[in-house]
Every structure is written in structure tokens, then in C-alpha cells.
């Protein structure tokens, strides 16, 4: 509860700062301090120190899983603001508003990690999405940014519509919005799954697939991620996407799972996974712009996160959290370096190892983590995803398809490494301050640490 | 403790090397570190300390059932010895070469040694997988940074090939892990895993593909000649001398004992593949005009014989593999040193541009001839013992296959003697007119190798005793 209320409150606070504070440079410092407080408050909440005791009538359910995800999301946002805060300021004139919107997104994220009712799911998705539409269009003079914002808004509105219809239909089929109630009280069709419920769940599945950009509902992703200012793409592709997965996995674990006697949901997920891995990986291979490559790679990574829907066992829950952390941290790092580059095409990275050895080395660690090489956090993220499916004993073929696509992903991630290390060039970067350098080095060290001891994160689930 | 030191010394010395500024300092430091590792291996092999020192076990990921456990058995000792001998020899042989960014070069080399040591030492499957990959990453950077003209594409092919193999192996590891009685990655748990025939056959291929790519076995060998040709020779020496042994080693430790029935079931198919590869590679080697490519193909042929001998499931064959893993490492490194000496001095590796070198460089000629004779397994050289035992095993398995595989001995003589003739005899060419003999460092390293070749050729008994325990334990699994 702490995180939901405080993030909304900090959003309002930042709004007040926008006209009370003359010095815009101090805004990001205020934002990072607020994020730190938010993180501490959330960890306190995990151990039972709740500041706000509100009876939500079962609309929200707080558990370790959701709390840990909150910590990961807030922590990643903290790292994100520390590394790219300066670039956020440079995006436009309404600096404070950007931070406001980020806090509101976090409010939606924390709601999604604890929803226990289809209405709160809807609320969370909307609170999370609407600020993002604005952030996407924040570069007002740029036509691409405007186009992306409009596209994102239209597609988002469409998927929201589907979600509402889905919620209405399942309500018609079960007579409740509640997540848990269906299990305990047989629905009006006396425990049988009705046609309405199944149809509603299908609608919900499609709308969630939209949000996490699973193929074939991914078409908005490359354009939006490419058009939005790079700093905000970083935020959208990591924390927001991971939150979508947390909501998705919960929906599947409860609602879809109950009707698994009627519909073979796992087969539907398997088709989604193969399509997503195929589209994301194969298209990423052909990209010349690193930013657009990362957009497709985020689709490909989503394919891996979808593995958790098939297994839905303890390893899957641990795995999705680890994946969220590993993927978010690595992608934030890559984008932090990307926004410092003058030329974000693949050629723009040529020879970076010579001019900026620290940036090249850390970027390499981030890319190795995304491709899932051992000793990086990304390896254990993939490991858990594969292990969770293998533990179920079925869908072994899917795991093999998955690792083959993981090998494809090496191709495009390593092209960046090749450009940085083995090609000659004179890449232009913005001024790199020593504090930024130490920031990315610390982030890379964290990723390697998690790659050796993934329990550093997972122990929070149990202790 | 000994086992732990074998990993820690190269790891930390490698990391330190990255921060050394001067070229001379980086060279001498890495040479010193590799000699130190060699000293520790000697202590381990000759049991200077009590045997409790040769393994180490610590908690790592208790929730997953993975431990940081390493230990030395006979085969592990033998390969650690090879690994530890190879690096000082390579560093010594290339001591006079100038690499750009020497600190990174030597640092990555030592990290590669760490990975190789870890592979030979680990008795936990997840840890084994970690080191398996850890050996690959430095190799990728070494080849792509310091290699030849087409290095980037070629090395990338090598990387993707082996990475696909490793990922399939990871699936296999997890597959077996869920069938182990105590859900653990420990070697003994893997040996006790309860797999039905179908499951065993399936998981066998997931593992075997990874190892077959690494060895490499026909038809998965296509990355190998290009990579050997394009890599800097110092790295090629390690790749062909030590790294390909990872595949053979892993097959003996992690494949055959874990899936004995599947190994027996598919042995005929795999032996036929290996023998096909032997003949195929030998025939191509005859047609090569480049020293490096010729050695690369000859290496495929030798590895094919070793793989066939493993799956022949005969005691003599298995003993032959053990000895030959070590000997092939020594011999092939010797050949690469000669190739490197010729290339750095004369600027060409083509037979057609060389000739008459024996008159200009007599010491090199003599040393190369010994190495070449070892390559065709002449009696009194080390390779004779190994190849004889392996053919013996293959003969007991199937006479016809052994006879066909025997053709490759003749072919090996053809291409190796052809190489000697074209490089060292005949008229001098433009390239060799002003050739000088090899330098002191290269000479010493080659002499060391020649001594090992002859000593092990005359008296192979210690090596056989060292690895006998592994041979027996694997064969027991095979014939259950």
C-alpha cells in the first residue's frame, strides 16, 4: 500500500515543484530522493510496516511476489533516473512534468502488482498507460515523436477497449469481478465454464498480449519505441513492460487456469511464444539502427518472459522476477549509453572501445546479459524460464525452439559488440562525466554479481 | 586447495594483466603466472600433498542444488597438466611477437586458461556449464581482435556454432537435472539419474551435439579450418591443443557415464560419422596449399579417431584416447609453433611460395621433422602408442571399420611428408632466399616439446597409470 499512495503523492509533489522551484537542475535530484524514499517505504511494507492501513475490500492483495516486483521496478527507475536524469531534462521545456508522469506510471505499476480484481487491473493498466502516451509525444517539435504518440494512443485505446469488453463478458459469465471468488464460489453456470467467460478471457488475453507486445499484436512496438525520445523508450521498454507481465501472469494463473479443462490455454501461449520469438528475433537481425534493434529485441525478450505463463510453478514466479530485473537493468544501461551517442546507427558505434573504453566495456556486459551468457544476470533469467517449463515435463520442444532463437539473438547483440571492439571508426559522443562512467560501471558490476548469485534478489521472496 | 588454486591463479593473474601498462611487463607477468600454475599442477599430479587437497567444495546456489565443487581425477589431472604446459610454451614461443594492446591479449589468454581449467575440474554440472562458456568468450575476443583479414565473420561463425551447442547442452543439463533423485547438479547425482530409454536417447543428443561441435565431428566441423586459419597463431595453439579436448573430455565424463545405454545404442552411428570425417578431412588436407589449413584438417582427422575410440567401448581404445588427448595437444602445438615461426619470418604460409628452407634453417627443419613424424604416429614418438591402442580398440569393435579408418594413417603420411618436402627441400623461392634460423625462444620451446614427444613415445607407462582410474570407472558404466 505504501508504494501506491506514496508514488501518487510524490507525483503531485513534483507537480507543485514545477512552479515553485526556479532551478530546474535540482528537479532530478528531488525525483531521485523521492524514488529512494519510495523504495525504502516499499521494503518496509514488505516486512509489515504499512503506513497506510486502508480496507480495500479485497480489491487489492499484497503478497511477497508483488512487493518484490515493486522493489525491482522502483529500484530500476531509481537507476534509470540516476543515469539518464540529465537527458530527461534536455527532452523539452516541461521538465518537472516528465518526472510527474514517471511517478504516475509507477503508481500504475504498483497497482498492477497487487490487483485482485478485474477492475483494479483495468485501473492499473490505464494509470500506467496514459502518462506514457504523453511521454512518447514529449518531443513536441519532432514529427516522429508525434506520430509515435498518436499511434501508441490509438493502439492503446483499442486494446483498452478489448480489455473492457473482456472484463464485461467474463462478468457476464461468472458474476464477479473478483479474481479469487470464482474459485471458491461456483459461478452461475454451476461451476462450468461458460461461453461468455471463455470469450471474455480470450479478449483479455489479446489485450494483455497488446500491452506486452507479443506477436501478432506487436505492430505498434517498433514504431513507438523508435519514435519516442530515447530516454522514455528506455523506461517504456523495461519497467512498464515488466509490469505488464506481472499482471499477465497473475491473470493467467487465476482466471485462465480455472478454465483449463475447457480450453487448452497452454497451446495458445505456446503459439504466442513461437510467434513472438520468431518475429522479434528475425526482424531484429535486419535492423541498422541500434534503437530500432532494441525495440525488436524487446519483443524477442517478451517471448522468453512468456515462458512463465506455460509453467506457472515456483520456478516461473522466481524466474519472471529475475528476468524483470536482469532485462530492465541491462536495457536501462544500454539506453543510457545510447542517448549519449550522436549517431545511433550501428556504424555510429564503430570504434567506441578506443575512444570510450569504459562505456564500451559496460555496454558489452549489458549486451552479454541480454543474450544470456553465463556470469551475467541474463543467463539465470533465461535459465529459470527454461527450467520452469522443463519442470512441468511437457512442452520440451518449446524449450528447444527457445534456445535456438536465443542463439539467433546473439547475432544482433554481438553486432554491436563487433562494431565497438573490432571495427575502426571515430564515434561522436556527448560529454561523458566521470559520475556517469562510475554509474554504468556500478550497474555492470551489479549485473555480473546477479549472474553469479541470483539469490541476492530471489531470497527477498522468502526471507 | 590445489584444485582451487588452479582456477584462482590464472583468474586473478589474468585480471591483473589487464591493468599492466608496459608490453614487456605484461609478457613476463603472464609467463610467470602460467609457470606458477604449472608448478601447482605438478604438485597435484605427483601428489606432493595429501589427496584431500585435490578437491574443493563450497556452497553456491543451494536453492537450485548447484555447488561450487571441483576435483581432480586421473583424466582431469592429465588434462590440467596439458593445459598448464601449453600456456607457458605458447607464451614463450610468441615472446618476440608484438601484439597491439598486449595487456588485453595476455589477460584474455589467462582468462581462457581459467575457463579450461574449470571445465576439467568441475564436478558440478552447472559449474561445468559456466566454465564451458567462460572458455569460449575470451577465445571469441582474442580471435576477433588479433586475427587475420576475415576474422570477424569467421570467429562469429565459430561462436554461433558453439553457442548453439552449449544452449542445447543447457537444455539437456536441465532435463537430466529434473530426473536426478535429489535434484542436484552433482556428478554423482547425474550418474544416478533415472531416465527411461526414450528420455536417455533424447538427452544424449542434446549433450552430444554440443560436444561434437566442439571436437569437431563431421559434419559439424565447418567452423574449424576457417577459425584456425584466421585466429592469431597463439590462440590457434590453445584452440586446437587444449580446447578441442574439452569436447572429448566432456564426452568421457558427462556423456558416456550419464547415458550409457544411449551411448551404446548410437555408438555405431557415431563411429561411422567419425571415420567418415577422418577420411574426408585427410583427403582435403592433401589438397591444401596453406600450412595452417593443412594442420587444421589433419587435426579433424585425429580428433575423429579419438571420438571413434571412445565409442568403441573397449578398454584399449579408451586408454589410447587418454594418452592421445595429451599427445595430440603437444604435437599440434609443436606444428603450430613451426607454422608461426615460418609465417612471422617469411610473411607467407603457402607451400607454393616456400621451398629449400632446410638449408637456411637447419634447426627448424630437424625439429619440424620430429613433430611431423609424431603427427603420422611413427613408432618411438608419443602418438604411436595412442594411435596403436585406439586402432586396437576399434579393431576389436569392428574389423572393417578399423580397416577403413586405417587408410587415414597412409593419408596422414602423404600430406605430412608432402608438407616437409615442399617447405624444406627443393629450390629456394623468393620468400625463403634470405631466411634465417629460428630464434632462441622458439627453439627452446620446440626442444621441450620434442623431448616430451620422445620420452612419452618410449615410456608411456606413467601417463597410462595416471588415467587408469578414469578408464576403469567409465568402462564399468558402459558395460552395466
Amino acid at each position: 500500500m505504501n508504494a501506491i499512495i506514496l508514488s501518487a503523492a510524490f507525483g503531485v509533489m513534483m507537480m507543485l515543484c514545477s512552479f515553485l522551484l526556479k532551478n530546474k537542475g535540482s528537479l532530478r535530484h528531488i525525483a531521485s530522493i523521492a524514488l529512494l524514499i519510495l523504495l525504502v517505504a516499499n521494503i518496509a511494507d514488505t516486512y509489515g510496516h504499512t503506513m497506510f492501513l486502508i480496507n480495500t475490500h479485497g480489491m487489492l492483495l499484497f503478497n511477497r511476489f508483488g512487493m518484490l516486483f515493486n522493489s525491482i521496478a522502483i529500484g530500476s527507475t531509481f537507476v534509470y533516473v540516476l543515469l539518464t536524469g540529465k537527458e530527461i531534462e534536455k527532452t523539452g521545456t516541461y521538465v518537472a512534468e516528465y518526472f510527474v508522469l514517471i511517478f504516475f506510471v509507477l503508481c500504475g505499476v504498483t497497482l498492477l502488482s497487487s490487483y485482485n480484481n478485474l477492475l483494479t487491473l483495468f485501473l492499473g493498466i490505464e494509470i500506467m498507460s496514459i502518462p506514457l502516451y504523453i511521454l512518447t509525444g514529449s518531443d513536441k517539435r519532432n514529427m516522429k515523436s508525434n506520430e509515435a504518440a498518436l499511434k501508441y494512443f490509438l493502439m492503446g485505446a483499442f486494446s483498452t477497449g478489448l480489455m473492457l469488453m473482456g472484463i464485461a463478458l467474463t462478468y457476464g459469465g461468472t458474476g464477479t469481478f473478483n479474481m479469487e471468488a470464482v474459485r471458491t464460489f461456483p459461478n452461475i453456470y454451476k461451476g462450468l465454464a461458460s461461453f461468455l467467460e471463455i470469450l471474455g478471457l480470450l479478449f483479455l488475453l489479446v489485450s494483455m498480449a497488446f500491452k506486452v507486445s507479443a506477436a501478432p499484436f506487436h505492430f505498434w512496438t517498433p514504431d513507438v519505441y523508435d519514435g519516442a525520445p530515447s530516454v522514455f523508450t528506455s523506461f517504456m521498454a523495461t519497467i512498464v513492460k515488466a509490469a505488464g507481465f506481472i499482471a499477465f501472469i497473475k491473470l493467467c494463473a487465476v482466471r485462465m487456469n480455472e478454465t483449463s479443462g475447457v480450453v487448452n490455454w497452454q497451446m495458445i501461449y505456446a503459439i504466442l511464444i513461437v510467434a513472438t520469438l520468431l518475429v522479434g528475433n528475425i526482424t531484429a537481425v535486419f535492423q541498422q539502427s541500434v534503437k530500432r534493434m532494441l525495440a525488436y529485441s524487446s519483443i524477442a525478450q517478451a517471448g522468453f518472459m512468456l515462458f512463465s505463463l506455460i509453467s506457472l510453478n515456483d520456478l516461473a514466479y522466481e524466474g519472471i522476477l529475475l528476468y524483470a530485473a536482469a532485462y530492465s537493468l541491462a536495457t536501462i544501461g544500454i539506453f543510457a549509453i545510447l542517448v549519449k551517442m550522436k549517431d545511433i546507427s550501428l556504424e555510429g558505434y564503430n570504434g567506441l572501445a578506443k575512444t570510450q573504453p569504459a562505456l564500451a566495456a559496460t555496454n558489452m556486459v549489458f549486451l552479454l546479459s541480454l543474450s544470456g551468457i553465463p556470469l551475467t544476470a541474463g543467463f539465470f533469467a533465461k535459465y529459470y524460464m527454461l527450467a520452469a517449463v522443463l519442470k512441468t515435463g511437457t512442452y520440451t520442444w518449446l524449450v528447444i525452439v527457445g534456445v535456438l532463437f536465443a542463439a539467433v539473438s546473439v547475432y544482433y547483440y554481438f553486432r554491436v559488440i563487433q562494431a565497438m571492439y573490432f571495427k575502426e571508426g571515430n564515434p561522436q559522443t556527448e560529454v561523458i562525466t566521470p559520475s556517469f562512467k562510475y554509474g554504468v560501471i556500478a550497474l555492470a558490476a551489479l549485473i555480473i554479481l546477479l549472474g553469479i548469485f541470483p539469490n541476492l534478489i530471489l531470497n527477498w521472496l522468502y526471507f | 586447495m590445489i584444485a582451487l588454486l588452479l582456477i584462482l591463479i590464472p583468474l586473478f593473474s589474468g585480471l591483473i594483466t589487464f591493468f599492466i601498462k608496459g608490453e614487456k611487463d605484461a609478457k613476463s607477468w603472464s609467463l610467470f603466472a602460467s609457470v606458477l600454475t604449472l608448478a601447482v599442477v605438478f604438485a597435484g599430479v605427483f601428489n606432493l600433498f595429501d589427496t584431500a587437497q585435490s578437491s574443493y567444495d563450497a556452497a553456491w546456489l543451494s536453492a537450485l542444488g548447484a555447488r561450487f565443487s571441483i576435483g581432480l581425477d586421473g583424466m582431469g589431472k592429465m588434462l590440467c597438466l596439458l593445459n598448464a604446459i601449453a600456456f607457458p610454451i605458447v607464451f614463450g614461443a610468441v615472446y618476440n611477437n608484438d601484439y597491439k594492446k598486449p595487456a588485453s591479449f595476455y589477460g584474455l589468454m589467462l582468462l581462457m586458461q581459467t575457463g579450461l581449467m574449470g571445465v576439467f575440474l568441475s564436478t558440478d554440472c552447472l559449474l561445468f556449464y559456466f566454465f564451458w562458456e567462460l572458455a569460449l568468450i575470451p577465445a571469441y575476443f582474442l580471435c576477433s581482435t588479433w586475427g587475420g583479414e576475415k576474422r570477424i565473420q569467421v570467429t562469429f561463425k565459430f561462436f554461433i556454432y558453439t553457442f548453439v551447442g552449449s544452449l542445447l547442452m543447457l537444455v539437456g543439463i536441465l532435463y537430466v537435472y529434473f530426473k536426478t533423485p535429489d535434484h542436484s547438479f552433482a556428478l554423482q547425482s547425474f550418474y544416478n539419474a533415472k531416465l527411461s530409454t526414450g528420455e536417455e536417447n533424447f538427452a544424449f543428443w542434446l549433450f552430444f551435439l554440443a560436444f561434437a561441435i566442439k571436437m569437431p565431428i563431421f559434419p559439424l566441423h565447418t567452423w574449424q579450418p576457417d577459425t584456425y586459419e584466421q585466429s592469431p597463431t597463439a590462440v590457434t595453439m590453445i584452440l586446437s591443443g587444449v580446447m578441442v579436448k574439452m569436447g572429448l573430455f566432456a564426452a568421457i565424463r558427462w556423456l558416456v557415464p550419464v547415458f550409457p545405454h544411449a551411448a551404446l545404442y548410437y555408438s555405431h552411428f557415431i563411429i561411422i560419422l567419425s571415420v567418415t570425417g577422418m577420411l574426408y578431412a585427410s583427403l582435403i588436407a592433401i589438397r591444401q596449399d596453406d600450412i595452417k589449413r593443412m594442420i587444421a584438417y589433419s587435426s579433424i582427422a585425429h580428433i575423429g579417431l579419438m571420438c571413434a575410440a571412445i565409442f568403441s567401448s573397449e578398454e584399449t581404445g579408451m586408454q589410447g584416447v587418454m594418452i592421445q588427448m595429451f599427445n595430440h595437444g603437444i604435437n599440434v602445438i609443436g606444428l603450430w609453433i613451426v607454422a608461426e615461426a615460418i609465417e612471422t619470418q617469411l610473411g607467407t604460409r603457402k607451400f607454393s611460395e616456400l621451398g629449400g628452407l632446410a638449408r637456411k634453417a637447419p634447426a627448424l627443419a630437424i625439429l619440424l621433422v620430429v613433430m611431423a613424424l609424431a603427427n603420422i604416429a611413427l613408432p618411438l614418438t608419443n602418438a604411436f602408442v595412442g594411435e596403436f591402442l585406439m586402432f586396437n580398440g576399434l579393431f576389436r569393435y569392428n574389423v572393417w571399420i578399423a580397416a577403413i579408418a586405417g587408410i587415414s594413417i597412409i593419408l596422414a603420411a602423404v600430406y605430412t611428408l608432402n608438407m616437409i618436402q615442399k617447405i624444406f627441400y627443393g629450390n629456394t623461392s623468393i620468400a625463403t632466399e634470405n631466411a634465417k634460423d629460428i630464434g632462441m625462444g622458439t627453439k627452446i620451446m620446440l626442444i621441450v616439446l620434442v623431448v616430451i614427444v620422445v620420452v612419452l613415445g618410449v615410456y608411456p607407462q606413467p601417463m597410462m597409470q595416471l588415467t587408469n582410474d578414469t578408464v576403469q570407472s567409465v568402462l564399468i558404466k558402459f558395460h552395466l
Side-chain angles (χ1 to χ4, degrees), chain B residues 295-311:
Chain B
I295 303 175
Y297 279 108
S298 132
S299 184
I300 296 180
H302 286 113
I303 298 286
L305 178 59
M306 289 185 232
C307 181
I310 292 175
F311 284 92

Side-chain angles (χ1 to χ4, degrees), chain B residues 217-428:
Chain B
I217 292 297
F218 175 83
L220 301 168
H221 65 281
T222 56
W223 60 267
Q224 193 250 36
D226 292 341
T227 309
Y228 283 10
E229 186 195 349
Q230 293 294 326
S231 306
T233 313
V235 181
T236 314
M237 290 176 205
I238 301 300
L239 284 182
S240 62
V242 188
M243 203 182 249
V244 290
K245 307 303 178 302
M246 276 164 66
L248 295 162
F249 162 85
I252 295 173
R253 178 175 275 182
W254 294 101
L255 186 72
V256 172
V258 179
F259 315 106
H261 303 107
L264 217 53
Y265 183 72
Y266 291 115
S267 61
H268 204 66
F269 177 66
I270 290 170
I271 287 175
I272 287 177
L273 269 190
S274 312
V275 172
T276 316
M278 283 168 71
L279 295 179
Y280 173 81
S282 304
L283 285 172
I284 296 181
I286 293 176
R287 300 287 304 158
Q288 293 306 314
D289 190 36
D290 184 308
I291 308 176
K292 275 183 140 184
R293 285 188 85 84
M294 194 217 83
I295 303 175
Y297 279 108
S298 132
S299 184
I300 296 180
H302 286 113
I303 298 286
L305 178 59
M306 289 185 232
C307 181
I310 292 175
F311 284 92
S312 71
S313 68
E314 291 292 333
E315 188 177 347
T316 46
M318 201 68 95
Q319 273 170 342
V321 175
M322 294 292 171
I323 298 184
Q324 191 61 5
M325 276 202 277
F326 187 85
N327 291 340
H328 176 257
I330 297 293
N331 297 350
V332 85
I333 289 176
L335 288 176
W336 289 121
I337 291 177
V338 174
E340 169 75 1
I342 292 175
E343 193 190 355
T344 43
Q345 199 195 125
L346 306 174
T348 178
R349 296 189 306 250
K350 292 206 182 317
F351 295 149
S352 49
E353 294 172 17
L354 295 165
L357 206 55
R359 256 171 291 162
K360 304 281 178 185
L364 181 67
I366 293 167
L367 292 168
L368 173 80
V369 168
V370 178
M371 297 317 297
L373 293 181
N375 197 42
I376 45 181
L378 217 68
L380 284 189
T381 63
N382 57 355
F384 171 73
V385 187
E387 292 218 349
F388 178 79
L389 287 169
M390 288 193 289
F391 273 109
N392 188 310
L394 214 53
F395 191 81
R396 287 179 193 206
Y397 177 79
N398 186 319
V399 178
W400 288 106
I401 289 181
I404 295 170
I407 299 173
S408 77
I409 304 181
I410 304 168
L411 295 175
V414 172
Y415 59 73
T416 315
L417 296 175
N418 191 27
M419 171 187 81
I420 297 177
Q421 191 184 359
K422 280 188 177 159
I423 297 179
F424 288 99
Y425 301 103
N427 296 325
T428 49

Side-chain angles (χ1 to χ4, degrees), chain B residues 84-121:
Chain B
I85 290 179
F87 274 83
I89 286 183
V90 171
F91 288 148
V94 299
Y95 200 80
N96 293 324
N97 290 16
D98 293 318
Y99 294 102
K100 54 173 189 182
K101 291 188 281 178
S104 314
F105 181 84
Y106 289 100
L108 285 168
M109 286 292 270
L110 287 171
L111 286 187
M112 188 153 77
Q113 192 184 21
T114 315
L116 290 163
M117 282 290 182
V119 166
F120 299 142
L121 285 167

Side-chain angles (χ1 to χ4, degrees), chain A residues 173-233:
Chain A
T174 59
T176 174
F177 287 124
N178 211 315
M179 295 288 284
E180 306 287 347
V182 193
R183 207 180 301 172
T184 41
F185 307 111
N187 59 29
I188 49 173
Y189 296 96
K190 300 196 175 55
L192 294 172
S194 71
F195 173 69
L196 282 181
E197 188 187 355
I198 303 294
L199 192 66
L201 288 179
L202 268 178
F203 273 62
L204 276 171
L205 180 81
V206 170
S207 76
M208 289 311 293
F210 256 113
K211 287 290 167 202
V212 300
S213 60
F217 312 105
H218 66 282
F219 289 100
W220 59 273
T221 320
D223 289 345
V224 171
Y225 283 10
D226 197 22
S230 298
V231 265
F232 297 129
T233 310

Side-chain angles (χ1 to χ4, degrees), chain B residues 13-74:
Chain B
S13 54
L15 290 176
I16 291 168
T17 314
F18 281 103
F19 298 99
I20 294 178
K21 284 278 186 290
E23 186 181 347
K24 262 265 172 327
D25 296 340
K27 277 180 187 171
S28 8
W29 166 254
S30 46
L31 190 59
F32 166 73
S34 60
V35 171
L36 190 63
T37 316
L38 181 61
V40 176
V41 170
F42 271 126
V45 170
F46 296 117
N47 293 324
L48 294 187
F49 300 93
D50 59 288
T51 42
Q53 299 283 342
S54 65
S55 64
Y56 180 81
D57 185 72
W60 179 32
L61 300 169
S62 41
L64 296 177
R67 298 182 64 79
F68 186 90
S69 63
I70 49 180
L72 279 164
D73 67 339

